[in-house]
Amino acid sequence: MNTSEFPEDIQEHIIPKVSGNYEYHCLNCCNVWDIDQLLYTCPSCGHVLMIKDQQSDRLKQLTAKQWHKIFNYRKLLNIQGLKGIFRYHEFLGSVLPITSLIYLGEGHTPMIEANEMLQKQIGIRFYYKNDGQNPSASFKDRGMACALSYINHLIRSGTLSEVLAICASTGDTSAAAALYGAYLSPHIKTAVLLPHKKVTPQQLSQPLGSGAKVFEIPGVFDDCMKVVEALSDHYHVALLNSKNAWRILGQESYSYEIAQDFDYQLSSVALVVPIGNAGNITAVMNGLIKFYQAGIIKDLPRIIGVQSSHADPVFRYYQEKDANKRNFKPVTVKPSVAQAAMIGNPVSMPRVINRVNRYNEISGKENVFVVQVTEQQIMDCQIIANKYGHIACTHGGECLAGMITAVKQKIIDDQYHVVLDSTAHALKFSGFQNQYFQNTFEPEFEIIPKNELQNFPELIKPKDIKLPAPGAPLDPDSFQLFVNKTSSEIASCLQLKKRSI
Ligand SMILES: *Cc1c(COP(=O)(O)O)cnc(C)c1O
Ligand SMILES: [Zn+2]
């Protein structure tokens, strides 16, 4: 739609302008650093950074109503860079010119109300936000679109050239990094480090297909992360893990979309998110705080983080109710079907601690909770969700299990509308589904399939028909016989009633 066709009171705001003053902000020593260079940790204390807009007060100049209208009408714009996460440009990258923004179809993922019977059984009104419907089939694309738009801006302005982008990954970060890197060929080359045999074949195929250099490392994600950190400390590379604060910024779009989908009324909304390296939950909290501070939302929704008992350092940290006695300890992970969250030492833990404090403070009550679920619950819940018409990945199953746990613990009740994050597409984890159906999980997973949830293909091959060799079709009579016998076998299998005419 053309600018002149938008309501007059928002016309001058409908296409965002470059604005704001972004700086890296150290959560530990409170130093600020210029964003004209790629920084991952604080040069003076080594702590992780967050990006802060020092001029965020300017965002309060518009009323909540105006912002709502601007975001709603922006859906009608046909400007590539503003079709995805940058619909919220003022909040997640306002210093970047529109011409540098990259859009590969990320963001605006659907929020789907759960199957009616499933909602009744559980007794909670809930939705799946299908972040697996992003271009590389996980939410990581949100952060990558932002980080790569920033790098694109540095390339276009002549600050950077011949970028080697690098990341460690549990599978999805590398898929997203490789995709966005490939789109910016030849300016960017991408290399990814994966824990050997700890990503699914689908996830491994993604960076290979995008032409990235793929390294497999013995060990788990936490080991790969250490190697990547060493590389980024000593060589000229662009680190694309969520340690990179631009990733967090882009991932805030998830919470903005939810605010918009609920017409900015979040007082009885709860968001359930899986926690791995803790970038996602950091972004969700930070995004909501920013919308709250600009007056766009009046209430902060409840947030429930979920971890598997096989990788639960954040859950353990918050088990201690006395904040002064809390002490973060990394854990050694065990095999988990929520493999993208199989992380024992989350890089964003300092950010989580900082943001949870702020979030609870603004809420005036404890409003962020972390629950723990078993591998069995994760797998059962994923299969159940998908049996009822959803496309949840194992982490989507983890969220459903987490919601059920939160109801039992009275963290939420039937007054809430709950949004579960299906962080990736079910297809990325179809191997785990197969293992469930065929009961072939290694004992360490501690998963025993439930009979009623298993499903198998059935081969129908009428006995008394000789199938011809490939390339040599059946003669017409034999083929008719084949069709008749096969269809009657299927009909008897399905107990179909015969038609009278
Ligand atoms: C990365 C990832 C997670 C974990 O998110 P963090 O930001 O690392 O906490 C969960 N699910 C999927 C599918 C992921 O790719
Ligand atoms: Zn510092």
Side-chain angles (χ1 to χ4, degrees), residues 139-140 172 274-280 340 395 423-424:
F139 78 84
K140 299 294 201 297
D172 294 330
I275 307 177
N277 221 4
N280 191 23
H395 316 82
T423 44

Side-chain angles (χ1 to χ4, degrees), residues 61-74:
Q61 286 166 5
L62 295 183
T63 63
K65 264 214 168 98
Q66 281 175 303
W67 279 120
H68 299 172
K69 207 163 167 184
I70 290 167
F71 294 140
N72 292 343
Y73 274 96
R74 264 188 199 159

